[in-house]
Each structure stands twice: as C-alpha cells, then as structure tokens.
Amino acid sequence: MNVRTGWMLAIVLLLCGCVTLGMSHYDDIYGEASVKVRNVEYNQGGGAEYLQLVKPVLEQRCVVCHGCYDAPCQLKLSSPEGIDRGLNKERVYNGTRLLAQAPSRLLFDADNTKQWREKGFTSVLNERAQNTQANLAGSVLYSSLLLKMSKPFPQQGLLGDEFDFSLDRTQSCPSMDEFDSLAKSQPHAGMPYGLPAISGFEFKQLESWLKNGAKMAQIAPPLNAELQQVSRWEQFLNQSGLKYQLAARYIYEHWYLANIYFPEHNHSTTPNFFKLVRSTTPPGEPIDLIATRRPYDDPQVSRVYYRLMHERSSILAKTHIPLALSDKKMTRLHAQFIAADYHVQQLPSYEPKVASNPFKAFAAIPVKSKYQFMLDEAELIIKGYIKGPVCRGQVALNVINDQFWVAFVDPQKNSSPQVSELLLRHDDDLALPAQEQSNVLPISSWVKYANRQHEYLSAKTKLANELLKDGKSLTTDLIWQGDGHNDNAGLTVFRHFDSATVVKGFVGQTPKTMWLLDYALFERIHYLLVAGFDVYGNIGHQLHTRLYMDFLRLEGEQNFINLLPQDVRKEIKNHWYRQSHVSLSEFINRKSLLAAPTGMSYTSDKPKLELHEKITTALESVLSQRYDYKSVSGPLAKLNNLPHKAVNLLPQVSFILQRQNNGEHKAFTLIHHNAHYNISSLLNEGAQRAYEEDTATLVPGFIGDYPEAIWYLADEANTAAFVAQLKTINSEQQYSELAQAFAIRRTHPQFWQYSDLLHEVAKQYRGIEYGLFDYNRLENR
C-alpha cells in the first residue's frame, strides 16, 4: 500500500466512524482512560524516531501556531512535556476575568502528567489500552490531522466565514470523547487549522509514530564545554556573601526571560540555550524549580540558588531573546556589582511592597551600576517588554505609537549623588502596580498611582531645573553614546497593532515621537511590563498595567521634548495628543514642564526634525545599520514612499522573498505604521486613527515574528510589476487582486514549501536570533 492509498483509507475509516468511536462503545473496547506516564529519554530507542522524523514535522507544521502562551488551547507542541501535557479549554489571555487564574506554565506549575490532568488538561495522545489500533483511535492529534485530510481545501482562493482567525476566537479544545461531535459540527476544524494539510509522507511519519506509542526523546544534552561554563556561572552567581546574593537577585530579575548561550564554546549552527532560574538546590545537584507567579515573589526557602537550566523546547521567534555570556561579561558584572564601593547590611525581604519596588529592594546597589548593567543589554531589556507575556493584543499595545526611536540618558549624568538621593527620597512614589498582586480594583488604584507619579515628577523637574539653570548641559551630551562601541545606544520600536518589535539602530523615516529614558524610567518600565506583570492576573491588574504605562510613555516623551526650544515644547506635545480628552496622566506631565532652556541652537522651522538629526549624528558611530531602509535599491525602494491609500490597505507586517538570478533569495519586511491623532484612548482606537498620515517602511531582512502576508517575487520583472500594482491600489478588491498575483496565501497549494523556504532564508539573516515564525496572524484576504 502506498502512502496516498494509506491515508485515504484512514480518511474513509474516519468518515464511517470506525476510528473515532462513540465513547461508550470505545470504553467497552479499550477500557477507561487513565494517565499514562511517558518516559522521555535522551536519544535512545524509540525516541530516536521522534527526534529524527517527528520533531522536524511538528516544528515546521504545528509549532508555528502551537508554541507559547498564546497557543490555541494552550497546546504547546514545542517539547515532549508540552505534547504530553495536552490541551486546556481555559485561555491564558483573557482580559475580562474578574479573578486571577491559577498559572499553567509548562515545567513550573506541575511536575507530572497526573498533575496536569488535575488542572484540567486533556491528552492529545492515547491514554487507554496501548496497542496500535487504540493509539490512533484514541489520539486527538491523529484525529485532527485526519480531519484536515478529509476536507478538501480551496487552492489560492479565500477561506469562508466558517474560519475564524481572530486572536480571541472561540476555541473548541476537544477531548477524545468530544471529537466526534466537533468533526460533525466543524468539519473545517482539522489541523493545521486554516492552512493546507501536511503532505501524505509527513502524515505517514506522524501516523507511524503515534501508532507505536508516541515515544519521545529530549534533544542531546549540552556539550561538555558548555556544561563547564554553566558550572562557572552558577558558582559566580551563588557565592555566599550578601553582596553576591543581592547582585545575583538583581541580575536574575532582569535576565530570567533570556535564552543564554556561550558563543566561545559552541560552534554549532543550532547552539544550546539556557534559562536562568531559581532553584531550591545548589549547583551540582538536580534543579528543583521555584515556581512563583513573579520572579521576585517569596521563594519560601531560606536560600535561593540561581541555576542555568537547559532550554529543550523549540526556539520560537516571538519569545527568543538571546544573551551571550563570556569571560568578558563576567568581568563586567564583577566590576559593576562586586568591585563597586557599597555595602549590604542585610538582604531585602520578599514582602510585595518591597520586592515589587526595585528602588527599595536594591537601594544598596549604586544607581550607576544598575543603570550600566541595563544599558549594556538595552535591546534585550526592552525585548522583555515585547517578547514577554505582556505584549499581546491591541489593548496591551495601544499605549505606544507604531514607530518611535529610543535613546538613553548618559549614566555618568544620571547617577549623581543628587539623583540617587532623589530616588531614595521618593521610593514610595516610584512604587509599581504589581505590589497590589494579581487581583486589583483598577480605578481607585489608578488615582493613587497617578498622584504618586505627580509627586515624583514634580521633584524630578525641580531638581533638573536647579542643575540646568544656565542651559549649558541640556544638549545631546546628556545622551548615552554607547561608550563609543555599544550599539544598544539607539533602538527602534515598531508596533504592529497587536504585536511589536524592537531592533537596534534608528530604523526608517524620522518618527513622530521619541523616548529618552533615564535610569528610573527604564527600571520602572521593566518592573511594570516584565518582572511585575502576571499574564494570569485579573482584568484590574492588566488594565492597571496598561493605564500606568501611559505615565511612563509620557515621561519618556517629555525627556525628549525638553531638548527642544521652550517655545515649541507644548505645541509639539499638543500635536501628538490632538483630539484627546485631558486625562489625569496628561495633566500631571503638563504640570511638570522643564523650565531650563535648551543648550542647543536651532536654525530651521522644524526643530523636532533637527533634534532627531542631532541625536542621530551624536550616535552615528554606534548606530546599527542592519535595517537601513536607504540600502534597499531598485524598484522595491519605492515602497518607502507609497501613497497613504495603498498603505492603508497593507497588513502590519509583510515578508517579501525576492528570488535572485543565481537562485538565492533576498528577504525584506514591509511595515505598515498606523498613524493616530493620539494614543490616549484605551478602547476606541479606531476613532483616533489619522489614516492620511499612515506610512510604510521597507527594510532588508526580517522585522517582526508574526507575518501577516508573505509575498514571493520570482524575478526582476515580477518585482517591478508587484511594486507598480501595489502603488496604485485603493480598494480591498484591488488588494485581493494583488494577493492573487503575488502572495503566498493560506490556501496556496505549495504553502508549506514556501514556509520552509522562508525559514531557511530567515536562518541566514537572523543567525543566533533565528526562531520559528508564528502564523496565528496570517491574513485571509
């Protein structure tokens, strides 16, 4: 029997009810379901089939939708533990829940399959009688793949209304005893959902694996050279002195999302990564994870140990934050935290009002040490805001503009005794909403924190006015210039409606706004959006986080505006917040305008543009040129100047593959920037859209992790035709015609071949930053 005949027979069995039997009859044949303990070993025995044949298929066809917090049904197919855990009907991202829900983090919140079943997860593998027939008949994973094979898929057309691709769509998440009903009521719901079926050959590989008991294996353990580095770093982070313990706690609370690797000791194309975790056990013993909601919550043990845990899951672009550790980095940390002149009399408590406030918990560490530490890896710290759990969905992200640049106040000027004293004196005013834990009443708390922000900003402005009386210091000399070598000094943040990206360099056309971050602001954003954010928190916690971020954005923008001539500061800020109601957050910041004049001279009638240029010139030697939009030549360069009507029709993130004459491919990203009259509205964003001000930026390489459109240009003539047609579109019908001619739609018969090509090209462009893209936002147009 050939492959095609085999899976067609399986479809016949499915449709006649011979595979997914009614559960009462199924119980009679195979017995009641019971938790099966699956031994997951390294590359041994039956597990070798999983690593060599199954894992690649799951990664390229399934993990592109099922890999993270936002995986449908919480089904994470990116690791053996996730496959074994199965699925759950409860959504992690739920902005309406009144009470915080119990966390369900893989590896952290349950130790075994039985505990996951008690938490409401149901298996996608067979957990009844173990034989070849039952292993297929009792598998939701197998039945889902089979259902897709049974439903003809349109080629190159649009999918009907029965397909819902919204982020908050209703999810079925069937257990095996519910699958028959699902297949009858939603015959289109087979997997991969809303994408072509996997190939017959791939289907047979998965079928064979499932039939034989779905044995799994972990990837190979780290290299000896890597394990030696792990040991060195664990020894460094777990020394007994109070200074070491406090420093390690601070480092952990900023690095716990990072994927750590050792570039000097791993020359593989797929290096091993490690997570910095808290453990009850010291180096040399097996890691015993401390599972708390937040990285600074009370560990309930007398001594915390900071360990490096091998990351064994598939690497996903949307959560991948690589961090290189080396001897040089260890020397730098020693200089910042150990050799620095300060003393630790006792370790801070884990009581929420202390632990959630870094200005209290780490008051003993000099501001300069903490700030330099953050600046050294500024892109990584900001990636935590974007690739951590908080940045998902429109409401979470409409607190920022679609494109803005970020620079930083120089640590030499931001760590004076006066600044340090200011932070100590106002540590209560700098408290963050996370001290309220995960169940919050938003309105009353918001007023309280707004008043505290007002007190801090008033004191900060008063001090700045005293230090800058003559205006001579209020120049670009205030801005950190990367110590002459660090390209973290200038960053660009892109918002893509319900996702976001940060990259090094000042990318794209001059933006409307810019943030200038000082230490206190940088630190608060991290503890608001990363360390203090609980994705399982209630509506109050999530809303409060969003509202508080208004304060911090306005403060960052105000720092930038303060470098402008006094007579245009208010005018420019008013332009940024056109048609907005006067909110308390705006009132606070407008009452905190800096009195000191700028120390720079302006010669044009566009001082804001001049200031952008002055800052760019000041940072020119360290700014990354990786995504220089001016480096794009030929017809594609014209996409940086599209008419707004064409831009209005574009999705937020489009990937373009352009085939070269030698058969290789170049990659580009076309980013749509939504313009707004203001971003002070929480829910009515559409009413604030300034559609005629929309712009687009085309850059080489890949920006973004959630492609919404994939365009394939076969040659130069094809490229010219694409650009010419795109420039003239002004209706949805014309966009659909463009997609019909050039897009790799969800329904493209070779979608998966192009997907594989896209990832191969991405490996070349992204290198250590490579991870699997996520297709949950791929459009159906």
Side-chain angles (χ1 to χ4, degrees):
M1 182 185 300
N2 61 32
V3 170
R4 179 177 176 83
T5 303
W7 65 255
M8 290 188 68
L9 177 59
I11 292 171
V12 173
L13 293 174
L14 172 67
L15 295 177
C16 75
C18 300
V19 173
T20 53
L21 302 168
M23 282 303 108
S24 59
H25 185 40
Y26 189 82
D27 289 349
D28 292 340
I29 297 176
Y30 300 114
E32 294 184 3
S34 61
V35 175
K36 174 178 171 54
V37 178
R38 299 181 186 276
N39 293 319
V40 179
E41 304 291 345
Y42 285 105
N43 191 0
Q44 299 174 10
E49 178 187 10
Y50 167 79
L51 289 175
Q52 296 167 14
L53 302 177
V54 174
K55 185 173 181 286
V57 176
L58 292 177
E59 284 190 336
Q60 297 296 327
R61 306 291 179 259
C62 307
V63 176
V64 288
C65 288
H66 287 277
C68 190
Y69 280 108
D70 56 355
C73 301
Q74 296 192 54
L75 177 58
K76 294 181 66 172
L77 299 175
S78 50
S79 69
E81 293 87 353
I83 297 170
D84 182 60
R85 181 179 72 165
L87 48 81
N88 190 304
K89 290 178 168 56
E90 192 167 23
R91 290 185 300 170
V92 172
Y93 286 95
N94 180 0
T96 63
R97 55 175 169 251
L98 299 179
L99 296 175
Q101 73 183 53
S104 54
R105 296 161 299 177
L106 199 62
L107 302 182
F108 282 83
D109 297 315
D111 294 326
N112 53 57
T113 311
K114 182 175 183 297
Q115 291 179 1
W116 285 123
R117 297 294 171 265
E118 292 170 350
K119 289 179 178 289
F121 282 80
T122 58
S123 179
V124 295
L125 304 175
N126 175 43
E127 290 189 339
R128 297 175 186 263
Q130 296 296 298
N131 59 61
T132 56
Q133 183 179 2
N135 285 339
L136 295 182
S139 169
V140 171
L141 178 58
Y142 180 71
S143 297
S144 298
L145 295 170
L146 203 56
L147 181 60
K148 170 52 67 77
M149 293 283 195
S150 71
K151 179 68 174 177
F153 204 72
Q155 294 191 357
Q156 284 291 41
L158 300 183
L159 297 174
D161 292 340
E162 69 272 18
F163 288 92
D164 184 359
F165 299 114
S166 61
L167 286 181
D168 296 320
R169 64 181 178 269
T170 301
Q171 299 177 2
S172 300
C173 313
S175 60
M176 197 58 237
D177 58 347
E178 298 168 331
F179 195 87
D180 276 346
S181 176
L182 171 73
K184 292 175 182 177
S185 63
Q186 301 182 47
H188 62 282
M191 296 294 156
Y193 180 75
L195 291 166
I198 62 177
S199 71
F201 180 72
E202 292 166 335
F203 179 83
K204 287 303 286 186
Q205 288 179 308
L206 297 186
E207 181 185 56
S208 172
W209 169 66
L210 290 165
K211 183 187 296 185
N212 293 323
K215 296 180 178 64
M216 291 182 281
Q218 297 290 5
I219 62 174
L223 304 174
N224 287 333
E226 292 173 312
L227 293 175
Q228 290 173 9
Q229 289 300 308
V230 166
S231 178
R232 288 185 68 243
W233 277 90
E234 288 186 348
Q235 292 298 325
F236 174 74
L237 292 169
N238 291 289
Q239 297 185 58
S240 58
L242 294 183
K243 209 173 191 180
Y244 276 99
Q245 291 187 55
L246 184 64
R249 176 170 164 178
Y250 184 80
I251 292 168
Y252 165 74
E253 291 181 14
H254 291 77
W255 280 4
Y256 72 98
L257 290 178
N259 280 339
I260 292 169
Y261 68 103
F262 305 103
E264 296 177 5
H265 301 276
N266 192 322
H267 303 290
S268 169
T269 55
T270 55
N272 284 294
F273 294 101
F274 302 83
K275 290 288 190 185
L276 186 58
V277 299
R278 297 197 297 180
S279 173
T280 65
T281 53
E285 297 182 17
I287 293 174
D288 179 18
L289 289 172
I290 295 173
T292 56
R293 281 183 178 267
R294 296 176 174 86
Y296 54 69
D297 284 346
D298 192 343
Q300 302 292 325
V301 293
S302 59
R303 174 72 193 273
V304 172
Y305 296 96
Y306 300 95
R307 308 289 303 279
L308 288 170
M309 180 177 69
H310 188 204
E311 176 59 83
R312 300 180 303 200
S313 298
S314 304
I315 300 300
L316 312 175
K318 62 185 176 181
T319 57
H320 185 36
I321 310 176
L323 170 63
L325 295 189
S326 62
D327 293 346
K328 183 178 180 181
K329 174 64 75 174
M330 187 180 289
T331 300
R332 176 71 164 169
L333 294 178
H334 187 277
Q336 290 169 334
F337 294 109
I338 308 304
D341 185 15
Y342 69 100
H343 301 282
V344 180
Q345 303 297 331
Q346 63 179 21
L347 295 175
S349 77
Y350 287 101
E351 194 271 329
K353 288 189 177 181
V354 174
S356 68
N357 187 335
F359 307 100
K360 285 183 178 290
F362 304 106
I365 303 176
V367 168
K368 185 176 181 180
S369 294
K370 293 179 288 189
Y371 192 26
Q372 283 182 335
F373 165 79
M374 296 182 74
L375 291 177
D376 283 351
E377 304 290 347
E379 183 198 32
L380 178 141
I381 299 296
I382 293 182
K383 275 184 176 179
Y385 317 160
I386 288 170
K387 292 177 180 269
V390 67
C391 272
R392 189 271 201 189
Q394 174 194 1
V395 175
L397 286 163
N398 67 8
V399 70
I400 61 174
N401 280 287
D402 265 42
Q403 177 213 12
F404 59 94
W405 294 347
V406 181
F408 305 89
V409 176
D410 190 286
Q412 300 294 339
K413 299 177 175 64
N414 195 218
S415 54
S416 66
Q418 297 98 318
V419 172
S420 298
E421 195 275 332
L422 172 73
L423 298 181
L424 289 172
R425 192 171 69 248
H426 288 273
D427 58 359
D428 284 329
D429 293 330
L430 294 167
L432 293 156
Q435 72 174 20
E436 313 284 348
Q437 301 294 279
S438 299
N439 288 300
V440 181
L441 296 175
I443 302 303
S444 60
S445 297
W446 181 77
V447 173
K448 175 177 66 177
Y449 286 102
N451 288 333
R452 290 179 176 180
Q453 174 76 350
H454 173 54
E455 291 299 318
Y456 166 69
L457 284 183
S458 296
K460 174 186 173 183
T461 304
K462 180 180 178 181
L463 175 61
N465 284 329
E466 291 175 358
L467 296 176
L468 301 170
K469 288 180 181 178
D470 58 3
K472 292 180 180 178
S473 297
L474 203 53
T475 69
T476 55
D477 289 340
L478 278 172
I479 296 175
W480 179 57
Q481 299 181 20
D483 301 324
H485 63 83
N486 192 329
D487 59 3
N488 283 278
L491 307 174
T492 300
V493 176
F494 296 102
R495 176 197 170 193
H496 318 300
F497 189 67
D498 52 22
S499 67
T501 306
V502 58
V503 295
K504 292 177 180 177
F506 289 162
V507 181
Q509 299 92 333
T510 303
K512 180 174 78 172
T513 64
M514 184 170 182
W515 292 5
L516 181 57
L517 302 185
D518 55 35
Y519 163 68
L521 183 52
F522 201 12
E523 192 79 276
R524 278 181 292 156
I525 297 176
H526 175 75
Y527 275 84
L528 176 72
L529 300 183
V530 185
F533 182 76
D534 178 14
V535 69
Y536 299 95
N538 77 333
I539 183 175
H541 167 70
Q542 299 189 37
L543 180 60
H544 199 188
T545 299
R546 160 62 178 81
L547 292 172
Y548 193 92
M549 187 57 203
D550 266 330
F551 303 152
L552 304 186
R553 182 199 68 249
L554 285 160
E555 186 179 345
E557 292 173 343
Q558 187 65 53
N559 288 343
F560 168 74
I561 287 176
N562 286 339
L563 293 173
L564 289 165
Q566 288 175 303
D567 60 348
V568 301
R569 294 174 187 173
K570 189 173 182 179
E571 175 189 346
I572 287 175
K573 189 164 189 177
N574 287 343
H575 178 73
W576 291 352
Y577 291 92
R578 290 167 288 167
Q579 302 184 18
S580 66
H581 298 290
V582 179
S583 67
L584 182 59
S585 57
E586 288 180 74
F587 172 80
I588 289 170
N589 284 271
R590 290 184 182 185
K591 286 290 185 180
S592 303
L593 294 175
L594 197 64
T598 180
M600 294 182 289
S601 61
Y602 291 85
T603 59
S604 75
D605 59 354
K606 296 181 179 179
K608 184 171 71 73
L609 178 61
E610 272 193 83
L611 179 54
H612 280 298
E613 293 172 348
K614 291 176 185 293
I615 295 175
T616 301
T617 299
L619 301 182
E620 187 173 13
S621 65
V622 295
L623 286 179
S624 171
Q625 300 301 316
R626 178 179 181 183
Y627 297 107
D628 181 11
Y629 77 104
K630 294 180 180 178
S631 68
V632 180
S633 59
L636 286 176
K638 298 177 182 178
L639 298 183
N640 283 299
N641 297 291
L642 287 171
H644 75 268
K645 289 185 178 180
V647 176
N648 293 157
L649 290 162
L650 288 173
Q652 302 303 299
V653 177
S654 301
F655 288 166
I656 299 173
L657 288 179
Q658 183 190 46
R659 188 178 184 276
Q660 307 300 295
N661 292 333
N662 61 3
E664 296 180 355
H665 290 82
K666 286 186 177 180
F668 304 88
T669 304
L670 182 59
I671 310 168
H672 174 184
H673 310 307
N674 289 348
H676 300 82
Y677 296 117
N678 68 79
I679 51 172
S680 60
S681 175
L682 179 64
L683 298 175
N684 192 22
E685 181 176 358
Q688 307 305 325
R689 285 278 282 109
Y691 290 97
E692 293 185 357
E693 298 174 20
D694 280 14
T695 58
T697 301
L698 183 85
V699 297
F702 295 94
I703 287 181
D705 305 318
Y706 303 87
E708 295 173 61
I710 302 171
W711 306 92
Y712 188 80
L713 308 178
D715 51 37
E716 293 181 5
N718 202 232
T719 300
F722 169 73
V723 172
Q725 188 171 344
L726 176 53
K727 288 174 62 179
T728 62
I729 64 171
N730 57 28
S731 69
E732 190 63 36
Q733 175 61 36
Q734 289 178 332
Y735 180 87
S736 182
E737 292 170 357
L738 181 77
Q740 178 70 26
F742 300 100
I744 307 301
R745 282 173 161 165
R746 284 179 169 271
T747 55
H748 195 291
Q750 284 84 45
F751 177 86
W752 292 117
Q753 289 94 316
Y754 282 104
S755 173
D756 291 343
L757 173 62
L758 183 72
H759 282 97
E760 283 301 315
V761 176
K763 286 180 183 178
Q764 301 167 21
Y765 273 84
R766 286 196 162 179
I768 197 67
E769 297 176 359
Y770 169 79
L772 294 164
F773 294 125
D774 188 286
Y775 289 154
N776 277 298
R777 290 167 172 78
L778 200 62
E779 65 181 8
N780 176 40
R781 295 170 68 194

